Amino acid sequence: SHTVCRLVFPSLGRIYLQNWSHVQSYATKATMTLEYTDNSKEAQTMKAALGLAALANHKYAEAADHFLQVRRG
């Protein structure tokens, strides 16, 4: 949907630019706003993005929690 593109793609662009505060902001908004199942590709992408942002901010336990929530599929 259009909402998915508007929330997911900016987060991915911020990862490339290593703008971690924006990654965290967009990923959190997407996680709370989007209507998708917990197993959707978008949900898994946002969990991984949140893990990367936490890792970049030296929050290793938080990063591990986010990464452990990512499901392959």
Side-chain angles (χ1 to χ4, degrees), residues 5 18 22 30 38 41-42 45 55 69:
C5 292
Q18 297 183 0
H22 283 178
D38 193 43
K41 186 176 181 178
E42 292 85 6
T45 301
L55 189 63
Q69 292 176 21

Side-chain angles (χ1 to χ4, degrees), residues 32-44:
M32 290 184 203
T33 304
L34 297 177
E35 296 178 18
Y36 52 70
T37 65
D38 193 43
N39 294 326
S40 72
K41 186 176 181 178
E42 292 85 6
Q44 303 314 306

